[in-house]
Amino acid sequence: MMTPGNLVGMAKINGLDAVALTDHNAMQNIPSAIRMGKEYDVVVIPGMELETAEEIHVVCLFEDVEKLSEFQKIVIDSFGGEIPSNRPEIFGKQLIYNEEDEECGELERMLLIPSKINIDDVFEIVENLGGIAFPAHVDRDSYSVLTTLGMLPYGYKNGFVEISCECDKEALLKNYPELENYKLLPSSDAHYIDKIQEAGGAELLVEELSAKGVIEALRNNRIV
């Protein structure tokens, strides 16, 4: 059900102006989603949810597919050629869709494994490509920088972190009072079509409604 067309269509139904598609360690479905976004009048931000060497998830957003493609090459190169194949009988198929939302391929490399990029390097790598990276779903028990390291990365300079839409903010701030100094950006982090949230969760003040505009608003912490 979570095809590029369905994802963008549900975003439109739920009143979202922009949505980021961030598959784990991959970008192959981004071009189709962008085309669908133009059809539905929803901005699709090219992205990836990177799994770092420490098994921490980091959201990486880019202004265009070309910069994301450069980043994907860096991610793949980090493995040094040693990437195990997916086992679809256990983990399911890793499908690729064309611009008509039709299945057109399948990724063979395993996506549910950590890259060899460490948490201290990913933010600078993404920034050098004109994008922005931030810790994903810091409130969760798994793949969160807080549960893995017990703190935000040293030198992390963005004024916000991502939380899941189910986050208990009071409990999170009680356990990690240092987050009082950061804005909390709610995200659907939707792995299923019915988990895409309605408008009103994450609101940004953008100068232009585009991937570049969203990234610029995040970089300047213009989160409502």
Side-chain angles (χ1 to χ4, degrees):
M1 292 294 292
M2 201 64 154
T3 67
N6 285 347
L7 185 156
V8 176
M10 183 60 74
K12 181 67 174 181
I13 291 171
N14 286 351
L16 301 177
D17 296 312
V19 62
L21 173 54
T22 55
D23 283 336
H24 290 182
N25 294 349
M27 60 155 287
Q28 275 69 14
N29 283 311
I30 296 290
S32 296
I34 290 176
R35 194 202 69 79
M36 295 288 182
K38 292 177 180 177
E39 182 175 329
Y40 285 104
D41 195 27
V42 174
V43 171
V44 175
I45 304 161
M48 181 187 296
E49 187 173 39
L50 177 74
E51 185 170 340
T52 72
E54 301 87 354
E55 299 187 9
I56 297 168
H57 286 180
V58 178
V59 177
C60 306
L61 304 181
F62 299 88
E63 292 183 7
D64 53 51
V65 173
E66 289 73 25
K67 293 298 184 183
L68 175 57
S69 182
E70 289 184 45
F71 182 65
Q72 180 173 249
K73 185 178 186 304
I74 293 171
V75 173
I76 293 174
D77 288 348
S78 78
F79 289 99
E82 301 176 0
I83 309 178
S85 297
N86 182 40
R87 297 181 63 185
E89 72 278 8
I90 298 175
F91 301 108
K93 295 181 178 181
Q94 299 174 159
L95 299 175
I96 304 170
Y97 291 85
N98 63 22
E99 293 190 349
E100 301 302 322
D101 219 25
E102 300 167 332
E103 182 182 331
C104 65
E106 185 175 349
L107 268 178
E108 294 184 0
R109 64 182 174 90
M110 170 70 76
L111 300 180
L112 295 176
I113 57 173
S115 69
K116 295 186 180 180
I117 299 174
N118 67 55
I119 189 68
D120 292 321
D121 293 335
V122 60
F123 303 101
E124 183 178 359
I125 292 171
V126 173
E127 184 177 5
N128 287 341
L129 291 171
I132 189 168
F134 47 93
H137 44 69
V138 299
D139 54 301
R140 292 195 169 163
D141 294 331
S142 58
Y143 303 109
S144 161
V145 66
L146 296 181
T147 54
T148 301
L149 301 182
M151 59 184 288
L152 292 178
Y154 180 75
Y156 177 67
K157 62 183 182 181
N158 292 323
F160 69 96
V161 293
E162 183 196 75
I163 57 173
S164 66
C165 55
E166 303 94 354
C167 176
D168 183 336
K169 294 182 182 179
E170 184 176 343
L172 179 66
L173 294 175
K174 181 178 179 181
N175 291 330
Y176 301 97
E178 64 271 24
L179 292 182
E180 293 279 4
N181 298 318
Y182 295 85
K183 290 185 178 180
L184 304 179
L185 180 70
S187 169
S188 297
D189 190 31
H191 293 74
Y192 301 94
I193 197 75
D194 62 333
K195 298 299 182 181
I196 297 175
Q197 299 297 297
E198 295 182 357
E203 296 186 357
L204 304 174
L205 298 176
V206 300
E207 292 185 358
E208 65 175 48
L209 186 53
S210 64
K212 180 179 180 179
V214 168
I215 290 171
E216 191 268 340
L218 289 171
R219 189 174 288 126
N220 290 282
N221 208 22
R222 295 202 299 270
I223 300 170
V224 178

PDB file of all heavy atoms in Angstrom, residues 91-126:
ATOM      1  N   PHE A  91      12.196 -10.400   5.444  1.00  0.00           N
ATOM      2  CA  PHE A  91      12.045  -8.951   5.593  1.00  0.00           C
ATOM      3  C   PHE A  91      11.088  -8.322   4.591  1.00  0.00           C
ATOM      4  O   PHE A  91      10.809  -7.129   4.674  1.00  0.00           O
ATOM      5  CB  PHE A  91      13.420  -8.283   5.473  1.00  0.00           C
ATOM      6  CG  PHE A  91      14.407  -8.758   6.489  1.00  0.00           C
ATOM      7  CD1 PHE A  91      15.457  -9.560   6.122  1.00  0.00           C
ATOM      8  CD2 PHE A  91      14.275  -8.411   7.825  1.00  0.00           C
ATOM      9  CE1 PHE A  91      16.383 -10.014   7.053  1.00  0.00           C
ATOM     10  CE2 PHE A  91      15.189  -8.847   8.770  1.00  0.00           C
ATOM     11  CZ  PHE A  91      16.241  -9.659   8.384  1.00  0.00           C
ATOM     12  N   GLY A  92      10.588  -9.110   3.645  1.00  0.00           N
ATOM     13  CA  GLY A  92       9.715  -8.560   2.630  1.00  0.00           C
ATOM     14  C   GLY A  92      10.492  -8.030   1.442  1.00  0.00           C
ATOM     15  O   GLY A  92      11.710  -7.836   1.504  1.00  0.00           O
ATOM     16  N   LYS A  93       9.792  -7.785   0.350  1.00  0.00           N
ATOM     17  CA  LYS A  93      10.423  -7.273  -0.858  1.00  0.00           C
ATOM     18  C   LYS A  93      10.713  -5.781  -0.725  1.00  0.00           C
ATOM     19  O   LYS A  93       9.944  -5.041  -0.115  1.00  0.00           O
ATOM     20  CB  LYS A  93       9.534  -7.523  -2.072  1.00  0.00           C
ATOM     21  CG  LYS A  93       9.329  -8.994  -2.410  1.00  0.00           C
ATOM     22  CD  LYS A  93       8.459  -9.151  -3.651  1.00  0.00           C
ATOM     23  CE  LYS A  93       8.291 -10.612  -4.029  1.00  0.00           C
ATOM     24  NZ  LYS A  93       7.458 -10.776  -5.251  1.00  0.00           N
ATOM     25  N   GLN A  94      11.810  -5.348  -1.329  1.00  0.00           N
ATOM     26  CA  GLN A  94      12.194  -3.945  -1.350  1.00  0.00           C
ATOM     27  C   GLN A  94      11.900  -3.407  -2.754  1.00  0.00           C
ATOM     28  O   GLN A  94      12.752  -3.389  -3.625  1.00  0.00           O
ATOM     29  CB  GLN A  94      13.680  -3.812  -0.994  1.00  0.00           C
ATOM     30  CG  GLN A  94      13.977  -4.353   0.414  1.00  0.00           C
ATOM     31  CD  GLN A  94      15.445  -4.378   0.760  1.00  0.00           C
ATOM     32  OE1 GLN A  94      15.810  -4.409   1.929  1.00  0.00           O
ATOM     33  NE2 GLN A  94      16.317  -4.354  -0.243  1.00  0.00           N
ATOM     34  N   LEU A  95      10.656  -2.972  -2.942  1.00  0.00           N
ATOM     35  CA  LEU A  95      10.148  -2.689  -4.282  1.00  0.00           C
ATOM     36  C   LEU A  95      10.458  -1.274  -4.753  1.00  0.00           C
ATOM     37  O   LEU A  95      10.516  -0.329  -3.960  1.00  0.00           O
ATOM     38  CB  LEU A  95       8.633  -2.919  -4.317  1.00  0.00           C
ATOM     39  CG  LEU A  95       8.176  -4.347  -3.987  1.00  0.00           C
ATOM     40  CD1 LEU A  95       6.662  -4.414  -3.936  1.00  0.00           C
ATOM     41  CD2 LEU A  95       8.734  -5.335  -5.008  1.00  0.00           C
ATOM     42  N   ILE A  96      10.623  -1.145  -6.065  1.00  0.00           N
ATOM     43  CA  ILE A  96      10.812   0.143  -6.726  1.00  0.00           C
ATOM     44  C   ILE A  96       9.625   0.363  -7.655  1.00  0.00           C
ATOM     45  O   ILE A  96       9.162  -0.572  -8.321  1.00  0.00           O
ATOM     46  CB  ILE A  96      12.120   0.163  -7.537  1.00  0.00           C
ATOM     47  CG1 ILE A  96      13.314  -0.177  -6.638  1.00  0.00           C
ATOM     48  CG2 ILE A  96      12.327   1.530  -8.187  1.00  0.00           C
ATOM     49  CD1 ILE A  96      14.599  -0.415  -7.418  1.00  0.00           C
ATOM     50  N   TYR A  97       9.128   1.619  -7.693  1.00  0.00           N
ATOM     51  CA  TYR A  97       7.953   1.936  -8.507  1.00  0.00           C
ATOM     52  C   TYR A  97       8.294   2.981  -9.558  1.00  0.00           C
ATOM     53  O   TYR A  97       9.115   3.867  -9.320  1.00  0.00           O
ATOM     54  CB  TYR A  97       6.812   2.440  -7.611  1.00  0.00           C
ATOM     55  CG  TYR A  97       6.242   1.366  -6.730  1.00  0.00           C
ATOM     56  CD1 TYR A  97       6.827   1.077  -5.503  1.00  0.00           C
ATOM     57  CD2 TYR A  97       5.144   0.614  -7.132  1.00  0.00           C
ATOM     58  CE1 TYR A  97       6.324   0.062  -4.700  1.00  0.00           C
ATOM     59  CE2 TYR A  97       4.635  -0.397  -6.335  1.00  0.00           C
ATOM     60  CZ  TYR A  97       5.234  -0.664  -5.121  1.00  0.00           C
ATOM     61  OH  TYR A  97       4.746  -1.666  -4.331  1.00  0.00           O
ATOM     62  N   ASN A  98       7.641   2.869 -10.712  1.00  0.00           N
ATOM     63  CA  ASN A  98       7.865   3.848 -11.772  1.00  0.00           C
ATOM     64  C   ASN A  98       6.927   5.042 -11.606  1.00  0.00           C
ATOM     65  O   ASN A  98       6.189   5.134 -10.620  1.00  0.00           O
ATOM     66  CB  ASN A  98       7.702   3.203 -13.157  1.00  0.00           C
ATOM     67  CG  ASN A  98       6.289   2.681 -13.402  1.00  0.00           C
ATOM     68  OD1 ASN A  98       5.315   3.108 -12.766  1.00  0.00           O
ATOM     69  ND2 ASN A  98       6.152   1.760 -14.345  1.00  0.00           N
ATOM     70  N   GLU A  99       6.946   5.932 -12.598  1.00  0.00           N
ATOM     71  CA  GLU A  99       6.157   7.167 -12.493  1.00  0.00           C
ATOM     72  C   GLU A  99       4.664   6.934 -12.687  1.00  0.00           C
ATOM     73  O   GLU A  99       3.869   7.859 -12.527  1.00  0.00           O
ATOM     74  CB  GLU A  99       6.678   8.195 -13.494  1.00  0.00           C
ATOM     75  CG  GLU A  99       8.083   8.690 -13.151  1.00  0.00           C
ATOM     76  CD  GLU A  99       8.499   9.873 -13.989  1.00  0.00           C
ATOM     77  OE1 GLU A  99       7.802  10.176 -14.969  1.00  0.00           O
ATOM     78  OE2 GLU A  99       9.527  10.493 -13.656  1.00  0.00           O
ATOM     79  N   GLU A 100       4.278   5.720 -13.024  1.00  0.00           N
ATOM     80  CA  GLU A 100       2.860   5.369 -13.099  1.00  0.00           C
ATOM     81  C   GLU A 100       2.421   4.599 -11.854  1.00  0.00           C
ATOM     82  O   GLU A 100       1.325   4.048 -11.816  1.00  0.00           O
ATOM     83  CB  GLU A 100       2.594   4.523 -14.352  1.00  0.00           C
ATOM     84  CG  GLU A 100       2.962   5.206 -15.659  1.00  0.00           C
ATOM     85  CD  GLU A 100       2.232   6.519 -15.856  1.00  0.00           C
ATOM     86  OE1 GLU A 100       1.037   6.585 -15.478  1.00  0.00           O
ATOM     87  OE2 GLU A 100       2.840   7.477 -16.369  1.00  0.00           O
ATOM     88  N   ASP A 101       3.306   4.570 -10.858  1.00  0.00           N
ATOM     89  CA  ASP A 101       3.045   3.867  -9.597  1.00  0.00           C
ATOM     90  C   ASP A 101       2.914   2.359  -9.806  1.00  0.00           C
ATOM     91  O   ASP A 101       2.163   1.683  -9.097  1.00  0.00           O
ATOM     92  CB  ASP A 101       1.794   4.413  -8.902  1.00  0.00           C
ATOM     93  CG  ASP A 101       1.967   4.480  -7.377  1.00  0.00           C
ATOM     94  OD1 ASP A 101       3.114   4.579  -6.917  1.00  0.00           O
ATOM     95  OD2 ASP A 101       0.945   4.436  -6.669  1.00  0.00           O
ATOM     96  N   GLU A 102       3.663   1.865 -10.772  1.00  0.00           N
ATOM     97  CA  GLU A 102       3.677   0.436 -11.063  1.00  0.00           C
ATOM     98  C   GLU A 102       5.009  -0.163 -10.607  1.00  0.00           C
ATOM     99  O   GLU A 102       6.062   0.458 -10.749  1.00  0.00           O
ATOM    100  CB  GLU A 102       3.517   0.198 -12.568  1.00  0.00           C
ATOM    101  CG  GLU A 102       2.227   0.753 -13.148  1.00  0.00           C
ATOM    102  CD  GLU A 102       2.244   0.776 -14.663  1.00  0.00           C
ATOM    103  OE1 GLU A 102       3.338   0.880 -15.241  1.00  0.00           O
ATOM    104  OE2 GLU A 102       1.148   0.714 -15.258  1.00  0.00           O
ATOM    105  N   GLU A 103       4.953  -1.362 -10.076  1.00  0.00           N
ATOM    106  CA  GLU A 103       6.168  -2.038  -9.649  1.00  0.00           C
ATOM    107  C   GLU A 103       7.083  -2.252 -10.851  1.00  0.00           C
ATOM    108  O   GLU A 103       6.672  -2.804 -11.874  1.00  0.00           O
ATOM    109  CB  GLU A 103       5.808  -3.374  -9.015  1.00  0.00           C
ATOM    110  CG  GLU A 103       6.990  -4.158  -8.490  1.00  0.00           C
ATOM    111  CD  GLU A 103       6.569  -5.490  -7.918  1.00  0.00           C
ATOM    112  OE1 GLU A 103       5.423  -5.605  -7.429  1.00  0.00           O
ATOM    113  OE2 GLU A 103       7.391  -6.433  -7.974  1.00  0.00           O
ATOM    114  N   CYS A 104       8.344  -1.807 -10.737  1.00  0.00           N
ATOM    115  CA  CYS A 104       9.256  -1.914 -11.883  1.00  0.00           C
ATOM    116  C   CYS A 104      10.612  -2.496 -11.503  1.00  0.00           C
ATOM    117  O   CYS A 104      11.494  -2.618 -12.368  1.00  0.00           O
ATOM    118  CB  CYS A 104       9.448  -0.547 -12.542  1.00  0.00           C
ATOM    119  SG  CYS A 104      10.281   0.669 -11.502  1.00  0.00           S
ATOM    120  N   GLY A 105      10.802  -2.832 -10.264  1.00  0.00           N
ATOM    121  CA  GLY A 105      12.095  -3.380  -9.871  1.00  0.00           C
ATOM    122  C   GLY A 105      12.125  -3.702  -8.394  1.00  0.00           C
ATOM    123  O   GLY A 105      11.148  -3.498  -7.661  1.00  0.00           O
ATOM    124  N   GLU A 106      13.260  -4.235  -7.982  1.00  0.00           N
ATOM    125  CA  GLU A 106      13.427  -4.638  -6.587  1.00  0.00           C
ATOM    126  C   GLU A 106      14.889  -4.466  -6.204  1.00  0.00           C
ATOM    127  O   GLU A 106      15.788  -4.881  -6.940  1.00  0.00           O
ATOM    128  CB  GLU A 106      12.991  -6.094  -6.421  1.00  0.00           C
ATOM    129  CG  GLU A 106      12.999  -6.598  -5.004  1.00  0.00           C
ATOM    130  CD  GLU A 106      12.433  -8.004  -4.895  1.00  0.00           C
ATOM    131  OE1 GLU A 106      11.840  -8.491  -5.895  1.00  0.00           O
ATOM    132  OE2 GLU A 106      12.573  -8.614  -3.828  1.00  0.00           O
ATOM    133  N   LEU A 107      15.126  -3.808  -5.072  1.00  0.00           N
ATOM    134  CA  LEU A 107      16.493  -3.629  -4.594  1.00  0.00           C
ATOM    135  C   LEU A 107      16.974  -4.911  -3.936  1.00  0.00           C
ATOM    136  O   LEU A 107      16.296  -5.458  -3.061  1.00  0.00           O
ATOM    137  CB  LEU A 107      16.562  -2.482  -3.587  1.00  0.00           C
ATOM    138  CG  LEU A 107      16.873  -1.087  -4.118  1.00  0.00           C
ATOM    139  CD1 LEU A 107      16.860  -0.079  -2.994  1.00  0.00           C
ATOM    140  CD2 LEU A 107      18.206  -1.052  -4.832  1.00  0.00           C
ATOM    141  N   GLU A 108      18.146  -5.358  -4.338  1.00  0.00           N
ATOM    142  CA  GLU A 108      18.671  -6.608  -3.794  1.00  0.00           C
ATOM    143  C   GLU A 108      19.487  -6.404  -2.525  1.00  0.00           C
ATOM    144  O   GLU A 108      19.523  -7.291  -1.661  1.00  0.00           O
ATOM    145  CB  GLU A 108      19.516  -7.320  -4.850  1.00  0.00           C
ATOM    146  CG  GLU A 108      18.711  -7.793  -6.053  1.00  0.00           C
ATOM    147  CD  GLU A 108      19.554  -8.588  -7.028  1.00  0.00           C
ATOM    148  OE1 GLU A 108      20.769  -8.766  -6.771  1.00  0.00           O
ATOM    149  OE2 GLU A 108      18.994  -9.034  -8.057  1.00  0.00           O
ATOM    150  N   ARG A 109      20.159  -5.247  -2.408  1.00  0.00           N
ATOM    151  CA  ARG A 109      20.973  -5.048  -1.210  1.00  0.00           C
ATOM    152  C   ARG A 109      20.095  -4.832   0.017  1.00  0.00           C
ATOM    153  O   ARG A 109      19.060  -4.195  -0.051  1.00  0.00           O
ATOM    154  CB  ARG A 109      21.940  -3.876  -1.403  1.00  0.00           C
ATOM    155  CG  ARG A 109      21.271  -2.522  -1.590  1.00  0.00           C
ATOM    156  CD  ARG A 109      22.315  -1.437  -1.827  1.00  0.00           C
ATOM    157  NE  ARG A 109      21.700  -0.157  -2.154  1.00  0.00           N
ATOM    158  CZ  ARG A 109      21.358   0.757  -1.256  1.00  0.00           C
ATOM    159  NH1 ARG A 109      21.583   0.546   0.026  1.00  0.00           N
ATOM    160  NH2 ARG A 109      20.808   1.906  -1.649  1.00  0.00           N
ATOM    161  N   MET A 110      20.533  -5.379   1.130  1.00  0.00           N
ATOM    162  CA  MET A 110      19.774  -5.260   2.370  1.00  0.00           C
ATOM    163  C   MET A 110      19.767  -3.811   2.850  1.00  0.00           C
ATOM    164  O   MET A 110      20.823  -3.177   2.963  1.00  0.00           O
ATOM    165  CB  MET A 110      20.398  -6.162   3.436  1.00  0.00           C
ATOM    166  CG  MET A 110      19.835  -5.950   4.833  1.00  0.00           C
ATOM    167  SD  MET A 110      18.147  -6.535   5.017  1.00  0.00           S
ATOM    168  CE  MET A 110      18.434  -8.291   5.113  1.00  0.00           C
ATOM    169  N   LEU A 111      18.577  -3.285   3.124  1.00  0.00           N
ATOM    170  CA  LEU A 111      18.445  -1.906   3.585  1.00  0.00           C
ATOM    171  C   LEU A 111      18.375  -1.799   5.101  1.00  0.00           C
ATOM    172  O   LEU A 111      18.647  -0.744   5.667  1.00  0.00           O
ATOM    173  CB  LEU A 111      17.206  -1.256   2.961  1.00  0.00           C
ATOM    174  CG  LEU A 111      17.195  -1.184   1.431  1.00  0.00           C
ATOM    175  CD1 LEU A 111      15.917  -0.515   0.945  1.00  0.00           C
ATOM    176  CD2 LEU A 111      18.423  -0.451   0.902  1.00  0.00           C
ATOM    177  N   LEU A 112      17.992  -2.878   5.768  1.00  0.00           N
ATOM    178  CA  LEU A 112      17.802  -2.841   7.220  1.00  0.00           C
ATOM    179  C   LEU A 112      19.087  -3.187   7.957  1.00  0.00           C
ATOM    180  O   LEU A 112      19.105  -4.007   8.872  1.00  0.00           O
ATOM    181  CB  LEU A 112      16.683  -3.805   7.629  1.00  0.00           C
ATOM    182  CG  LEU A 112      15.294  -3.443   7.106  1.00  0.00           C
ATOM    183  CD1 LEU A 112      14.288  -4.516   7.495  1.00  0.00           C
ATOM    184  CD2 LEU A 112      14.846  -2.094   7.646  1.00  0.00           C
ATOM    185  N   ILE A 113      20.184  -2.557   7.554  1.00  0.00           N
ATOM    186  CA  ILE A 113      21.463  -2.739   8.229  1.00  0.00           C
ATOM    187  C   ILE A 113      22.131  -1.382   8.379  1.00  0.00           C
ATOM    188  O   ILE A 113      21.870  -0.461   7.607  1.00  0.00           O
ATOM    189  CB  ILE A 113      22.396  -3.697   7.458  1.00  0.00           C
ATOM    190  CG1 ILE A 113      22.629  -3.192   6.026  1.00  0.00           C
ATOM    191  CG2 ILE A 113      21.860  -5.121   7.462  1.00  0.00           C
ATOM    192  CD1 ILE A 113      23.664  -3.986   5.260  1.00  0.00           C
ATOM    193  N   PRO A 114      23.004  -1.228   9.373  1.00  0.00           N
ATOM    194  CA  PRO A 114      23.675   0.063   9.551  1.00  0.00           C
ATOM    195  C   PRO A 114      24.726   0.313   8.480  1.00  0.00           C
ATOM    196  O   PRO A 114      25.411  -0.615   8.038  1.00  0.00           O
ATOM    197  CB  PRO A 114      24.318  -0.067  10.938  1.00  0.00           C
ATOM    198  CG  PRO A 114      24.484  -1.536  11.147  1.00  0.00           C
ATOM    199  CD  PRO A 114      23.326  -2.174  10.446  1.00  0.00           C
ATOM    200  N   SER A 115      24.831   1.553   8.058  1.00  0.00           N
ATOM    201  CA  SER A 115      25.938   1.944   7.198  1.00  0.00           C
ATOM    202  C   SER A 115      27.202   1.994   8.054  1.00  0.00           C
ATOM    203  O   SER A 115      27.170   1.710   9.254  1.00  0.00           O
ATOM    204  CB  SER A 115      25.661   3.312   6.581  1.00  0.00           C
ATOM    205  OG  SER A 115      25.716   4.318   7.590  1.00  0.00           O
ATOM    206  N   LYS A 116      28.297   2.391   7.448  1.00  0.00           N
ATOM    207  CA  LYS A 116      29.531   2.556   8.211  1.00  0.00           C
ATOM    208  C   LYS A 116      29.892   4.022   8.374  1.00  0.00           C
ATOM    209  O   LYS A 116      31.049   4.375   8.620  1.00  0.00           O
ATOM    210  CB  LYS A 116      30.659   1.749   7.567  1.00  0.00           C
ATOM    211  CG  LYS A 116      30.397   0.249   7.623  1.00  0.00           C
ATOM    212  CD  LYS A 116      31.566  -0.578   7.122  1.00  0.00           C
ATOM    213  CE  LYS A 116      31.235  -2.072   7.216  1.00  0.00           C
ATOM    214  NZ  LYS A 116      32.346  -2.930   6.734  1.00  0.00           N
ATOM    215  N   ILE A 117      28.877   4.877   8.241  1.00  0.00           N
ATOM    216  CA  ILE A 117      29.030   6.309   8.517  1.00  0.00           C
ATOM    217  C   ILE A 117      28.668   6.534   9.970  1.00  0.00           C
ATOM    218  O   ILE A 117      27.574   6.157  10.410  1.00  0.00           O
ATOM    219  CB  ILE A 117      28.118   7.143   7.604  1.00  0.00           C
ATOM    220  CG1 ILE A 117      28.474   6.910   6.135  1.00  0.00           C
ATOM    221  CG2 ILE A 117      28.232   8.625   7.950  1.00  0.00           C
ATOM    222  CD1 ILE A 117      27.528   7.588   5.164  1.00  0.00           C
ATOM    223  N   ASN A 118      29.546   7.141  10.734  1.00  0.00           N
ATOM    224  CA  ASN A 118      29.247   7.316  12.155  1.00  0.00           C
ATOM    225  C   ASN A 118      28.464   8.596  12.418  1.00  0.00           C
ATOM    226  O   ASN A 118      28.424   9.498  11.583  1.00  0.00           O
ATOM    227  CB  ASN A 118      30.518   7.233  13.014  1.00  0.00           C
ATOM    228  CG  ASN A 118      31.477   8.378  12.773  1.00  0.00           C
ATOM    229  OD1 ASN A 118      31.118   9.545  12.873  1.00  0.00           O
ATOM    230  ND2 ASN A 118      32.722   8.048  12.457  1.00  0.00           N
ATOM    231  N   ILE A 119      27.882   8.658  13.581  1.00  0.00           N
ATOM    232  CA  ILE A 119      26.969   9.748  13.929  1.00  0.00           C
ATOM    233  C   ILE A 119      27.676  11.100  13.942  1.00  0.00           C
ATOM    234  O   ILE A 119      27.064  12.136  13.679  1.00  0.00           O
ATOM    235  CB  ILE A 119      26.297   9.476  15.299  1.00  0.00           C
ATOM    236  CG1 ILE A 119      25.182  10.489  15.590  1.00  0.00           C
ATOM    237  CG2 ILE A 119      27.335   9.470  16.416  1.00  0.00           C
ATOM    238  CD1 ILE A 119      23.989  10.382  14.702  1.00  0.00           C
ATOM    239  N   ASP A 120      28.975  11.114  14.212  1.00  0.00           N
ATOM    240  CA  ASP A 120      29.696  12.381  14.278  1.00  0.00           C
ATOM    241  C   ASP A 120      29.982  12.968  12.901  1.00  0.00           C
ATOM    242  O   ASP A 120      30.304  14.148  12.784  1.00  0.00           O
ATOM    243  CB  ASP A 120      31.029  12.194  15.023  1.00  0.00           C
ATOM    244  CG  ASP A 120      30.825  11.883  16.499  1.00  0.00           C
ATOM    245  OD1 ASP A 120      29.923  12.484  17.099  1.00  0.00           O
ATOM    246  OD2 ASP A 120      31.559  11.035  17.037  1.00  0.00           O
ATOM    247  N   ASP A 121      29.868  12.152  11.851  1.00  0.00           N
ATOM    248  CA  ASP A 121      30.209  12.612  10.506  1.00  0.00           C
ATOM    249  C   ASP A 121      29.003  12.951   9.636  1.00  0.00           C
ATOM    250  O   ASP A 121      29.110  13.759   8.709  1.00  0.00           O
ATOM    251  CB  ASP A 121      31.039  11.543   9.780  1.00  0.00           C
ATOM    252  CG  ASP A 121      32.407  11.353  10.395  1.00  0.00           C
ATOM    253  OD1 ASP A 121      32.910  12.294  11.032  1.00  0.00           O
ATOM    254  OD2 ASP A 121      32.974  10.252  10.254  1.00  0.00           O
ATOM    255  N   VAL A 122      27.864  12.340   9.893  1.00  0.00           N
ATOM    256  CA  VAL A 122      26.734  12.433   8.967  1.00  0.00           C
ATOM    257  C   VAL A 122      26.230  13.862   8.801  1.00  0.00           C
ATOM    258  O   VAL A 122      25.880  14.281   7.690  1.00  0.00           O
ATOM    259  CB  VAL A 122      25.578  11.496   9.398  1.00  0.00           C
ATOM    260  CG1 VAL A 122      25.067  11.831  10.782  1.00  0.00           C
ATOM    261  CG2 VAL A 122      24.455  11.540   8.377  1.00  0.00           C
ATOM    262  N   PHE A 123      26.208  14.642   9.861  1.00  0.00           N
ATOM    263  CA  PHE A 123      25.659  15.995   9.767  1.00  0.00           C
ATOM    264  C   PHE A 123      26.498  16.870   8.842  1.00  0.00           C
ATOM    265  O   PHE A 123      25.962  17.627   8.030  1.00  0.00           O
ATOM    266  CB  PHE A 123      25.565  16.613  11.176  1.00  0.00           C
ATOM    267  CG  PHE A 123      24.746  15.801  12.121  1.00  0.00           C
ATOM    268  CD1 PHE A 123      25.354  14.970  13.052  1.00  0.00           C
ATOM    269  CD2 PHE A 123      23.356  15.816  12.059  1.00  0.00           C
ATOM    270  CE1 PHE A 123      24.608  14.192  13.917  1.00  0.00           C
ATOM    271  CE2 PHE A 123      22.596  15.045  12.914  1.00  0.00           C
ATOM    272  CZ  PHE A 123      23.228  14.224  13.844  1.00  0.00           C
ATOM    273  N   GLU A 124      27.818  16.751   8.938  1.00  0.00           N
ATOM    274  CA  GLU A 124      28.692  17.541   8.074  1.00  0.00           C
ATOM    275  C   GLU A 124      28.618  17.069   6.627  1.00  0.00           C
ATOM    276  O   GLU A 124      28.624  17.885   5.699  1.00  0.00           O
ATOM    277  CB  GLU A 124      30.134  17.452   8.573  1.00  0.00           C
ATOM    278  CG  GLU A 124      31.103  18.309   7.759  1.00  0.00           C
ATOM    279  CD  GLU A 124      32.520  18.260   8.294  1.00  0.00           C
ATOM    280  OE1 GLU A 124      32.746  17.572   9.307  1.00  0.00           O
ATOM    281  OE2 GLU A 124      33.401  18.914   7.694  1.00  0.00           O
ATOM    282  N   ILE A 125      28.529  15.759   6.417  1.00  0.00           N
ATOM    283  CA  ILE A 125      28.429  15.228   5.058  1.00  0.00           C
ATOM    284  C   ILE A 125      27.198  15.783   4.356  1.00  0.00           C
ATOM    285  O   ILE A 125      27.249  16.249   3.217  1.00  0.00           O
ATOM    286  CB  ILE A 125      28.384  13.685   5.079  1.00  0.00           C
ATOM    287  CG1 ILE A 125      29.721  13.112   5.536  1.00  0.00           C
ATOM    288  CG2 ILE A 125      28.030  13.145   3.691  1.00  0.00           C
ATOM    289  CD1 ILE A 125      29.691  11.621   5.792  1.00  0.00           C
ATOM    290  N   VAL A 126      26.061  15.737   5.054  1.00  0.00           N
ATOM    291  CA  VAL A 126      24.807  16.218   4.471  1.00  0.00           C
ATOM    292  C   VAL A 126      24.844  17.727   4.264  1.00  0.00           C
ATOM    293  O   VAL A 126      24.408  18.239   3.226  1.00  0.00           O
ATOM    294  CB  VAL A 126      23.614  15.820   5.366  1.00  0.00           C
ATOM    295  CG1 VAL A 126      22.318  16.452   4.854  1.00  0.00           C
ATOM    296  CG2 VAL A 126      23.476  14.297   5.413  1.00  0.00           C
TER     297      VAL A 126
END
